[in-house]
Amino acid sequence: MPALYMDSMAGFIACDAAHVLGSLTAALAEEGFGSTTPNTFSWQQEITELQTAFRCLTEVSPSASRWQVLLEYVLPIIGKRVDCVVLADDLIYVIEYKDGASTSARSALRQAQDYAWNLVDFHEASRHRIAIPIAVGAFRTVVPVDVTHPTRGCAVTPGDLPATLLFIHESLSGKSSAIETDLWNNSR
C-alpha cells in the first residue's frame, strides 16, 4: 500500500501545509478511515515542523531538494503507518514523529527501529538497503546518532533534524544505487 502523500523534498517544502493536510485526510478517507481531531492537530504540527527542518536542510545542502518525502507509509505485514519516510539517494530515513514532551526518546526510538527493521525484513525494495530510524520530538533527552551502527538510529528534536540527516547522509550515502521512488513506494 503506497504512502498517503509523496513529493520531492522541494515540492513538500513549497506546498502549503493546509494542502498537505488535506491530501492526507482525503487519502485516509479514500481508504475508508476517518481522521480524528487529535490526529489532525498532530499532522498539522508534524507537517509544519518537517517543512521547517527540510527547508533548513536544503539551504545547507541543495541536492537534498530532490530527495523524496513520503508521509503515512503503510508497513508491509503489520499494516502500521510510518509518519515519514525520506528516500535520500540510496538511504532510507524512517522518521517517527512525536508531539508533546510526554514521550520518552528511547520509547519513540524503539518504535522507529521496529518500523525500520520491518521495512528491511519485509519490504522487497528495502532489502539490502540501510534504513535509519529517527524519532523526532520535544524530548527531554536525545539519543545521538552513531554512524558506525546506523540501524540503531537516533532521537532528536525538530531543530536538530536537518543537521542529523545531513551528517548521516554525508557519512553513509553512495554505497549502492539510488532508490527508485515509484518502485519503492509500490513495492510489497
Side-chain angles (χ1 to χ4, degrees), residues 7 16 18-20 35 42 47 49 53 55 64 91-92 113 115-116 125 129 136 139 152-153 161 163 166-167 171:
D7 204 345
D16 181 69
H19 178 75
V20 176
S35 180
S42 178
I47 291 163
E49 290 185 2
R55 189 174 293 108
L91 300 178
I92 304 165
Q113 288 169 334
Y115 290 172
R129 298 282 186 177
V136 178
F139 305 123
R152 290 183 187 165
L161 183 59
L166 185 60
F167 174 69
S171 302

Side-chain angles (χ1 to χ4, degrees), residues 3-15:
L4 295 183
Y5 174 90
M6 181 177 77
D7 204 345
S8 67
M9 190 168 285
F12 174 70
I13 293 167
C15 195

Side-chain angles (χ1 to χ4, degrees), residues 34-47:
S35 180
T36 64
T37 301
N39 193 38
T40 301
F41 286 130
S42 178
W43 275 347
Q44 284 176 321
Q45 182 177 353
E46 176 185 341
I47 291 163

Side-chain angles (χ1 to χ4, degrees), residues 9 57 61-68 86-93 130 132 134 145 147 150 161-179:
M9 190 168 285
L57 173 63
S61 178
S63 64
S65 64
R66 62 182 164 68
W67 296 357
Q68 298 296 306
V86 175
L87 303 177
D89 300 324
D90 59 337
L91 300 178
I92 304 165
Y93 295 108
I130 299 174
I132 303 103
I134 302 175
V145 66
V147 292
L161 183 59
T164 301
L165 293 173
L166 185 60
F167 174 69
I168 294 169
H169 192 265
E170 289 175 345
S171 302
L172 299 175
S173 72
K175 294 182 173 61
S176 61
S177 62
I179 296 168

Side-chain angles (χ1 to χ4, degrees), residues 1 4 25-35 81:
M1 211 181 245
L4 295 183
T25 55
L28 198 60
E30 284 179 20
E31 292 184 1
F33 299 101
S35 180
R81 294 184 186 279

Side-chain angles (χ1 to χ4, degrees), residues 45 49 83 96-100 103-104 107-108 111 135-139:
Q45 182 177 353
E49 290 185 2
D83 291 333
E96 187 58 25
Y97 187 90
K98 297 297 180 190
D99 57 352
T103 305
S104 82
S107 68
Q111 184 179 4
V136 178
F139 305 123

